[in-house]
Amino acid sequence: MGSTGCRHCASSVETNIQRNGALHYGMIALTLDDMSENLKPSETVLRSVDPVTGSQVAEFPVTTADQVAEAVGNARRAATAWAALSVDERRTELLRFKRLIHARRNEILALLTRENGKVAADAEIELTLTLHHLDWAARHAGRVLRPRGVRSGLMMLNQASRIERKPYGVVGVIGPWNYPMYTPMGSIAYALAAGNAVVFKPSEFTSAIGQWLADTFVAATGRDGLFAVVHGWGATGADLCRSGVDKLAFTGSAPTGRKVMAACAETLTPVLMELGGKDAAIVAADADVRQAAQALLWGATMNSGQSCAGVERVYVVEAVASRFLDAIAAAAGSVEAGRDYGPVTMPGQIATIARHIDSGLSDGGSALVGGRDSVRAPFVDPVVLVDVPQSSAAVREETFGPVVTVNRVPDVDAAIAAANAVEYGLGAVVFSKRDGESIAARLDVGMVSINDVISYGAVPALPFGGNGGSGFGRIHGEPGLLEFTTPKAVTRRRFRLPVEVSAHGRRRRDEWALTAISRLVGRR
Ligand code: NDP
């Protein structure tokens, strides 16, 4: 299934127009209510469209359950040869893959704009991050995964012990559409570098980008089947979960994550869960308020707010609140959807964004920037809501749009308590000149940026992932490589001890010696 026959075809360009409350996406007229339904043109063909014009970008035959199983079987055969290579050989091939992505950069940048709606700057950021991570994984796998000797302890003094790291075999990767290259490659690059094969199911909204990645890998390495793509909707993802993969790396929403875990439980397939977030930012009294406002507005709106670790809530300490509100309003005044960031990729998300703006306002908040009129599908201009109660859906649920709530709090303690009071625990941001570290230490999240936003995602050596409702396991960095291997314990007897431990028929003095060791270890 290395290539499932992409047929790029540019059909007539349809413009999105809003008529009588119905949004026209391409040729299909949708109301806000029925936009939560995925576009499913047929059961056997999957078509991806340009989210701005609605014109078709590509179509793929939907991969059947048998074909998913076949792809996994092919990947398993390819994995044996791949795992048998030396670390240096794998690094050479992965760096060749990276260089070919770079050489074909104009193709993928265009596709990120056409199929995913990214403006040029957001596409360039995604490409750069992907190259950075692929490079890091390729270059560091040898060091991170080499066998590590460990002390054998008093009882096993005569043993030489080590931990080896073994690839799982075939890793299934299910990815989202918001960063269709960077996010799945956070699993794919690290899984490959660790010696696994990969079968990838991209989001139905970004299937051409997923196919492009696999095709480029085959072109760079000549290895068919080692990194394969299967296409389809959720059912294809479920088929992948049940296909006998040795590990499943899932990135997506928490509700889908639960379904993936349930499917994987049937076969005891281990899972990595990178789920959603509702990231908070804290602005302390000693923050550089202007810098904080500009950075947080960017963190809330870049990529149209469709970032798992995007800033969706700000807690600003009362002492600097009015200065902060003036600064964020001023910063937002010059930002426009369609120019500074792209459209909302998934039509169904528009309804969620609109609902969160409505509930933020009806629950008692007020609009500092924008409001309901900012939703002009497929675009949404920046929306800043102020003093929205913590119980509101706008504060508790993932919005995944360029909407941010700003709540005034009396002090940093109140800010930390409010930041921690949601079910998610992905990332967080702190702006404070003196207390950044101590505030960061009290946040129940997997990642924190101090005096900057989301910068951890661009540091390849740092693990990426969250706690609680944001999932478990990590991509990126050393933990991201370890995640795609299993530890294997090996110990070798080097010489015979005067005291025999591992045998029946021990002598009396062996028993005494054992008791003496036990007492020694117990007492110290
Ligand atoms: P979804 O959960 O809707 O889908 C994720 C993937 O799972 C898609 O490929 C989807 O296919 C597939 N899928 C759907 N149903 C099933 C099923 N029953 N079994 C197996 N696979 C299935 O998420 P989105 O694509 O909407 O992505 C946005 C979400 O991802 C947000 O919540 C965001 O926060 C999160 N995210 C988390 C990141 C992190 O690292 N923590 C990074 C980026 C995003 P299809 O699309 O074809 O339905």
Side-chain angles (χ1 to χ4, degrees), residues 38 40 46 173-179 182-184 200-206 231-242 248 250-261 263 273-278 306-310 312 346 349 398 400 424 426 447 464-466 470-471 475-476:
N38 288 336
K40 293 184 186 174
L46 187 156
V173 175
I174 298 180
W177 45 266
N178 59 334
Y179 291 94
Y182 163 67
T183 294
F200 172 37
K201 206 233 38 107
S203 165
E204 79 203 46
F205 294 99
T206 51
H231 291 289
W233 291 275
T236 310
D239 289 340
L240 185 58
C241 296
R242 298 192 175 96
L248 198 291
F250 173 79
T251 308
S253 64
T256 310
R258 284 190 194 96
K259 291 184 201 160
V260 167
M261 276 187 80
M273 287 281 140
E274 294 290 348
L275 307 178
K278 187 74 186 174
Q306 304 171 123
S307 303
C308 53
E312 297 207 353
M346 191 172 69
Q349 199 61 29
E398 187 178 43
F400 231 54
Y424 293 107
L426 192 58
M447 308 167 292
F464 191 103
S470 295
I475 54 172
H476 300 172

Side-chain angles (χ1 to χ4, degrees), residues 17-381:
I17 32 178
Q18 198 159 357
R19 297 187 204 115
N20 306 327
L23 301 161
H24 290 253
Y25 258 34
M27 309 200 49
I28 303 155
L30 301 163
T31 65
L32 286 184
D33 285 342
D34 57 26
M35 284 206 306
S36 56
E37 278 298 304
N38 288 336
L39 301 173
K40 293 184 186 174
S42 87
E43 292 299 317
T44 53
V45 176
L46 187 156
R47 295 185 177 85
S48 72
V49 296
D50 181 323
V52 178
T53 64
S55 65
Q56 182 169 310
V57 174
E59 66 176 42
F60 299 89
V62 171
T63 313
T64 64
D66 286 346
Q67 289 169 328
V68 172
E70 189 188 325
V72 172
N74 291 342
R76 194 169 300 289
R77 279 185 287 282
T80 308
W82 181 245
L85 293 182
S86 71
V87 166
D88 285 350
E89 288 168 325
R90 279 205 295 271
R91 182 182 60 201
T92 303
E93 294 204 22
L94 288 172
L95 292 178
R96 215 181 289 147
F97 177 34
K98 181 198 74 173
R99 290 188 193 108
L100 190 57
I101 293 175
H102 171 66
R104 295 178 170 181
R105 58 189 287 114
N106 290 339
E107 272 175 45
I108 190 63
L109 288 172
L111 206 45
L112 283 164
T113 296
R114 278 190 70 210
E115 193 182 45
N116 198 221
K118 284 193 188 340
V119 294
D122 283 343
E124 190 73 53
I125 288 175
E126 176 152 12
L127 172 60
T128 311
L129 289 172
T130 307
L131 293 172
H132 222 39
H133 279 283
L134 178 53
D135 186 82
W136 195 93
R139 291 184 196 278
H140 289 80
R143 175 184 60 79
V144 175
L145 302 177
R146 69 173 169 232
R148 191 163 59 85
V150 293
R151 295 221 171 129
S152 300
L154 208 50
M155 195 172 163
M156 290 288 153
L157 261 182
N158 62 335
Q159 304 279 325
S161 305
R162 65 178 189 278
I163 305 169
E164 296 180 355
R165 305 295 312 194
K166 296 289 170 198
Y168 274 94
V170 183
V171 174
V173 175
I174 298 180
W177 45 266
N178 59 334
Y179 291 94
M181 189 184 191
Y182 163 67
T183 294
M185 282 292 281
S187 294
I188 294 165
Y190 289 77
L192 287 170
N196 301 280
V198 169
V199 179
F200 172 37
K201 206 233 38 107
S203 165
E204 79 203 46
F205 294 99
T206 51
S207 37
I209 292 167
Q211 189 64 55
W212 186 92
L213 278 172
D215 290 348
T216 305
F217 179 81
V218 175
T221 64
R223 290 181 183 273
D224 225 348
L226 184 67
F227 169 16
V229 170
V230 294
H231 291 289
W233 291 275
T236 310
D239 289 340
L240 185 58
C241 296
R242 298 192 175 96
S243 64
V245 291
D246 303 294
K247 179 150 189 170
L248 198 291
F250 173 79
T251 308
S253 64
T256 310
R258 284 190 194 96
K259 291 184 201 160
V260 167
M261 276 187 80
C264 287
E266 291 170 17
T267 47
L268 286 182
T269 303
V271 291
L272 162 70
M273 287 281 140
E274 294 290 348
L275 307 178
K278 187 74 186 174
D279 287 9
I282 292 177
V283 181
D286 65 341
D288 179 333
V289 169
R290 205 166 145 263
Q291 189 217 343
Q294 285 174 349
L296 291 174
L297 183 79
W298 181 79
T301 58
M302 59 101 183
N303 203 38
S304 329
Q306 304 171 123
S307 303
C308 53
V311 178
E312 297 207 353
R313 301 177 289 151
V314 176
Y315 297 100
V316 57
V317 167
E318 193 68 66
V320 290
S322 66
R323 274 204 294 136
F324 178 80
L325 290 175
D326 288 347
I328 200 165
S334 58
V335 175
E336 194 183 310
R339 186 191 63 203
D340 298 298
Y341 56 81
V344 169
T345 309
M346 191 172 69
Q349 199 61 29
I350 292 275
T352 305
I353 295 168
R355 179 169 63 81
H356 286 187
I357 296 171
D358 287 346
S359 67
L361 295 175
S362 62
D363 290 340
S366 57
L368 177 73
V369 175
R372 193 59 161 68
D373 292 345
S374 306
V375 180
R376 44 183 185 91
F379 297 105
V380 180
D381 289 317

